């Protein structure tokens, strides 16, 4: 292709003014703004220019430049510019706590709580009874104490921040004893040794990967020791020839040596999940009852609330942490408090918590119900996708995710889609990049929709997304 031919293509790119004078562009200007549409038109012409300049002979052979295609590109670009980048997706992966998909989704009452404080003034730091300045922590402290049995509570930005705050408050410039079997790394590079270093505390590792005994802790205690730390290995399990020191023994050790004992629980369950057929996970109440002085856990893992780091424990220790200047830097906003308070209120009654907190509801839903829902979606998909894809309902497994219950595969029911004309990888990509992205799994040349993490009101959206991907 000669340079002259490329020049010919470049000459055919419509001018920005021509594009925005088109009827469709006028509509867009009415809907959005002249500036936005003009900016999009400038983008389109620049993009066409760049595409032509870098195109090879073969590509240019099938290329045509005209006003209609420029206006179509403009429409696409304008929609892209006005659409939020952070937006709703449909989680069909079956991973209930998917960190990349925002972890726990909130109960309706928590969403309503956020909405009510977002668009109006509120009493975040005002005591309405006295008219005096209040503390933002009061909105949840009593509830947290009531539900966990602890004397005091504090909430910070996330659990990583909670661990940092505890260590910094009680162990800066001193030593903290931890078992080698519990030096966890959580996704997104939260590593206990790194958090320890950032807090100013020195990590004293004791025991081995598989076994740590009480005497290992005892032997490591010096005048420099500030704290004994236990970490719940939430995202892995050491199995086989293993032993850990129980909470009761740790608490006894701490008491004898006048050292606070802290437990980083990670996920923070408030309900015994074993009752609902899931693997046992230590509850926050277990740790508090055993006498652990400070317990930390995430708000948006199994607790099923907003992102937060929840700290519960002895009153005097909590008060000391509130005075640490780091607390101000790690503090949470009104949205978090609104969502947290609403979620905590559901925990007052276990049935309410199980049915209304989506994380718990999704984890405890029966296979029979999943089966019925999967069949309903499958029937509807079959109606609209005849000749385009084979649809079936199959057995499979979901995961808790979010670094919780790592070894638990929960039996689930999946809708399997076998496209006729395109590959399953292309279908997956089309669904992921659509208007309302649908995230699904691929297994053995089938696209799998795990019904556990899909809500009934999302069925129609999935059907629309599937139709548009396969047409
Ligand atoms: C998830 C987790 C963390 C980090 O919690 P974030 O809320 O994500 O900051 C820390 N420790 C343990 C044991 C965890 O499981």
């Amino acid at each position: 292709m000669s340079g002259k031919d490329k020049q010919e293509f470049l000459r055919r790119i419509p001018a920005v003014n021509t594009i925005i004078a088109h009827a469709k562009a006028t509509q867009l200007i009415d809907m959005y703004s002249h500036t936005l549409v003009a900016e999009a038109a400038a983008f389109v012409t620049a993009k066409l220019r760049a595409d032509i300049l870098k195109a090879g002979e073969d590509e240019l052979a099938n290329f045509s430049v005209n006003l209609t295609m420029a206006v179509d590109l403009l429409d696409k670009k304008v929609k892209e510019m006005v659409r939020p980048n952070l937006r709703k997706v449909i989680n069909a992966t079956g991973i209930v706590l998917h960190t990349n998909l925002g972890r726990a989704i909130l109960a309706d009452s928590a969403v309503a709580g956020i909405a009510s404080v977002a668009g109006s003034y509120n009493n975040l730091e005002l005591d309405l009874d006295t008219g005096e300045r209040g503390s933002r922590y009061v909105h949840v402290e009593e509830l947290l104490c009531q539900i966990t049995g602890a004397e005091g509570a504090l909430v910070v930005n996330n659990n990583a921040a909670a661990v940092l705050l505890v260590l910094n408050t009680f162990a800066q410039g001193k030593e903290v004893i931890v078992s080698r079997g519990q030096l966890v790394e959580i996704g997104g590079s939260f590593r206990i040794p790194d958090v320890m270093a950032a807090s100013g505390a020195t990590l004293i590792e004791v025991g081995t990967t598989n076994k740590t005994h009480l005497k290992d802790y005892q032997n490591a205690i010096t005048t420099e020791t500030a704290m004994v730390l236990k970490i719940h290995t939430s995202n892995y399990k050491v199995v086989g020839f293993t032993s850990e020191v129980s909470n009761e023994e740790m608490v006894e050790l701490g008491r004898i040596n006048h050292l606070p004992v802290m437990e980083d629980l990670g996920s923070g369950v408030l309900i015994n999940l074993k009752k609902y057929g899931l693997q046992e996970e230590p509850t926050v109440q277990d740790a508090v009852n055993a006498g652990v002085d400070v317990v930390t856990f995430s708000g948006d893992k199994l607790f099923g609330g907003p992102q937060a780091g929840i700290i519960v424990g002895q009153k005097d220790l909590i008060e000391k942490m509130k005075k640490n200047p780091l607390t101000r830097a790690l503090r949470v906003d009104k949205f978090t408090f609104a969502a947290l308070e609403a979620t905590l209120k559901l925990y007052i009654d276990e049935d309410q918590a199980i049915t209304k907190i989506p994380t718990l509801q999704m984890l405890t839903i029966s296979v029979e119900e999943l089966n019925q829902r999967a069949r309903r979606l499958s029937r509807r998909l079959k109606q609209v996708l005849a000749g385009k894809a084979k649809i079936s309902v199959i057995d499979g497994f979901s995961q808790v995710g979010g670094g919780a219950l790592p070894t638990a595969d929960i039996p689930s029911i999946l809708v399997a889609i076998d496209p006729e004309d395109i590959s399953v990888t292309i279908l997956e990509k089309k669904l992921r990049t659509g208007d309302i992205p649908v995230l699904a799994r691929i297994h053995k040349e089938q696209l799998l929709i795990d019904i556990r993490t899909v809500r009934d009101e999302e069925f129609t959206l999935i059907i629309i997304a599937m139709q548009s991907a396969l047409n």
Side-chain angles (χ1 to χ4, degrees), residues 165-299:
L165 179 65
V166 180
L167 294 173
N168 179 267
T169 308
F170 302 108
Q172 189 179 28
K174 300 194 110 190
E175 296 177 353
V176 176
I177 306 173
V178 187
S179 158
R180 288 201 170 87
Q182 299 173 355
L183 296 174
V184 306
E185 171 176 318
I186 312 292
S189 74
F190 169 94
R191 286 178 158 188
I192 284 293
D194 298 342
V195 176
M196 191 80 74
S199 76
T202 303
L203 171 67
I204 304 295
E205 299 174 21
V206 298
T208 60
T209 307
N210 56 329
K211 284 203 170 207
T212 302
H213 306 284
L214 185 62
K215 65 174 188 299
D216 294 322
Y217 288 98
Q218 277 163 344
N219 293 341
I221 293 176
T222 68
T223 51
E224 290 309 299
T225 309
M227 198 166 212
V228 188
L229 169 60
K230 182 173 177 184
I231 301 146
H232 176 50
T233 57
S234 54
N235 58 1
Y236 66 98
K237 259 200 161 57
V238 183
V239 293
F241 186 58
T242 64
S243 74
E244 264 191 355
V245 177
S246 72
N247 275 352
E248 287 74 13
E249 287 173 297
M250 296 271 271
V251 167
E252 179 68 10
L253 176 80
R255 225 174 39 101
I256 292 168
N257 295 282
H258 305 289
L259 294 172
V261 175
M262 162 187 178
E263 180 165 17
D264 171 14
L265 264 182
S267 221
V269 204
L270 295 176
I271 288 173
N272 183 350
L273 293 178
K274 205 168 174 187
K275 268 202 334 220
Y276 299 92
L278 291 157
Q279 269 180 28
E280 182 130 41
E281 173 87 1
T283 64
V284 177
Q285 294 92 322
D286 289 340
V288 172
N289 287 339
V292 174
D293 301 288
V294 183
V295 182
T296 72
F297 59 97
S298 286

Side-chain angles (χ1 to χ4, degrees), residues 421-433 442 469:
D421 303 326
I422 58 173
S423 77
V424 72
T425 8
I426 291 179
L427 175 60
E428 187 276 336
K429 182 170 180 191
K430 283 186 159 192
L431 291 171
R432 175 161 42 82
T433 52
I442 293 178

Side-chain angles (χ1 to χ4, degrees), residues 141 144-155 162 166 170 227 260-263 265 284-285 287-297 309-322:
E141 186 164 3
L144 274 168
C145 291
Q146 184 189 337
I147 292 160
T148 64
E151 289 174 7
L154 179 60
V155 180
V166 180
F170 302 108
M227 198 166 212
V261 175
M262 162 187 178
E263 180 165 17
L265 264 182
V284 177
Q285 294 92 322
V288 172
N289 287 339
V292 174
D293 301 288
V294 183
V295 182
T296 72
F297 59 97
I310 302 172
I311 310 173
V312 298
Q314 272 188 29
K315 187 89 190 150
D316 55 331
L317 302 180
I318 297 289
E319 291 310 313
K320 199 161 172 214
M321 281 187 268
K322 282 187 187 163

